[in-house]
Amino acid sequence: MAQRKGCLIGCAVALVLGTGLLMAVVFGMGKVLDMADKTLVDPAVYEAVKTGDAESEVRGKLPSGESFVKSALQEGGPVEPEGSTCSWYISSGETKSGEETVLRFCFKDGKLAEKTQYPMK
């Protein structure tokens, strides 16, 4: 009888741990997909927008950009134009030399003031 209780307890612990691990994997995949939805931009969009375009028009073509990787995308880029508000994205195009390309759009006075691209650090 004592062996049965031990087996039941062990099986219950294994089930709880397995369920927890599965939930962690699903949560992690959800975060990755969430990041992709919010930070990936097609290189054609980057090429299509021009400096001086209306901010609302440009932002309408971009995802929100709000994700947990935003601070990582900011690293290694050129200095932001003074007085501007910038948004960072990852190019959905081919990687160059195994590195992702960061696309940065900076806005000032309701217009696209600068767009730049650089390898992610």
Side-chain angles (χ1 to χ4, degrees):
M1 192 74 157
Q3 286 181 331
R4 256 191 197 163
K5 278 187 176 179
C7 181
L8 288 174
I9 291 171
C11 290
V13 169
L15 180 64
V16 169
L17 290 176
T19 302
L21 181 61
L22 180 62
M23 288 175 60
V25 168
V26 169
F27 179 75
M29 290 296 292
K31 282 292 193 188
V32 169
L33 293 174
D34 183 48
M35 179 198 75
D37 283 346
K38 293 180 178 178
T39 60
L40 288 179
V41 171
D42 189 310
V45 171
Y46 178 81
E47 294 300 326
V49 299
K50 304 291 181 221
T51 303
D53 286 353
E55 180 175 356
S56 58
E57 182 182 315
V58 175
R59 287 198 186 271
K61 297 176 182 179
L62 301 172
S64 73
E66 293 303 319
S67 83
F68 64 95
V69 297
K70 182 177 177 181
S71 60
L73 298 179
Q74 294 172 334
E75 293 178 20
V79 176
E80 298 171 38
E82 191 173 323
S84 67
T85 303
C86 299
S87 296
W88 293 261
Y89 303 91
I90 299 172
S91 173
S92 64
E94 296 286 320
T95 60
K96 296 176 184 171
S97 303
E99 294 180 324
E100 297 289 343
T101 300
V102 175
L103 306 175
R104 185 181 78 187
F105 300 86
C106 296
F107 303 94
K108 185 176 181 180
D109 300 327
K111 297 188 185 284
L112 179 62
E114 177 189 83
K115 65 177 191 175
T116 188
Q117 55 184 339
Y118 53 91
M120 187 180 337
K121 299 278 179 198

